Amino acid sequence: MNVDHSLIASAFSTIANFFSSGGQLPTIKQQTSEPEEDEEPMNSEQFSQMMGKLEKIEEKQTELESKQTEFSAQVQKISVSPEEETEPTKNDEQEGITPEQFNQLSGKLDTLLTKQSDLENQFNALKKEVPNQEPEGEGVSSAEAI
């Protein structure tokens, strides 16, 4: 690994100087309030154009605020307060399934698992290769088989 030790030494020196100076940042030349030579003052036409654009932005902002207020009112109308909720009926109070429903479901699952196990066994038997097994042209188009 090629490391420039002088660069590292310079960095540590800069850090040491920073802390030894009391952690003060270097002074920055303050900008004068006088405009620079390459800046031209705004004329009345430019000022009116800028004010027109600002007025359009203000109109759009007001429009968005009113739409947001309308949307907020609609959301409050749609939301259901806890007092408006209906009381649960007897069907809602019943949780879970009955023992008969569980037994029925369990029987169907057992049947499904048995059928899946049988299919898996059949597939594994077909998947095994036998000695001297050669393909008979399955998966080949008729032009390639000739």
Side-chain angles (χ1 to χ4, degrees), residues 63-77:
E63 181 182 330
L64 286 173
E65 286 175 352
S66 66
K67 286 183 179 180
Q68 190 271 339
T69 304
E70 290 173 16
F71 180 73
S72 175
Q74 289 176 357
V75 168
Q76 287 178 351
K77 287 179 184 177

Side-chain angles (χ1 to χ4, degrees), residues 14-42:
T14 304
I15 293 170
N17 286 336
F18 174 75
F19 286 112
S20 66
S21 68
Q24 296 177 359
L25 297 173
T27 57
I28 299 174
K29 179 183 161 187
Q30 293 184 356
Q31 295 181 355
T32 60
S33 61
E34 300 173 12
E36 294 182 15
E37 294 176 10
D38 51 329
E39 287 185 20
E40 296 179 13
M42 186 182 298

Side-chain angles (χ1 to χ4, degrees), residues 4-19:
D4 186 9
H5 295 289
S6 63
L7 182 62
I8 295 173
S10 173
F12 279 117
S13 173
T14 304
I15 293 170
N17 286 336
F18 174 75
F19 286 112

Side-chain angles (χ1 to χ4, degrees), residues 46-60:
Q46 291 173 327
F47 181 75
S48 62
Q49 285 177 350
M50 185 182 71
M51 290 305 290
K53 290 186 183 213
L54 286 174
E55 287 173 1
K56 287 180 184 177
I57 291 172
E58 185 179 7
E59 289 173 9
K60 292 287 184 182

Side-chain angles (χ1 to χ4, degrees), residues 99-117:
E100 295 84 22
Q101 291 171 330
F102 177 77
N103 289 336
Q104 193 177 30
L105 182 63
S106 179
K108 288 182 180 181
L109 282 175
D110 289 340
T111 305
L112 246 162
L113 289 173
T114 303
K115 287 182 181 180
Q116 182 182 0
S117 178

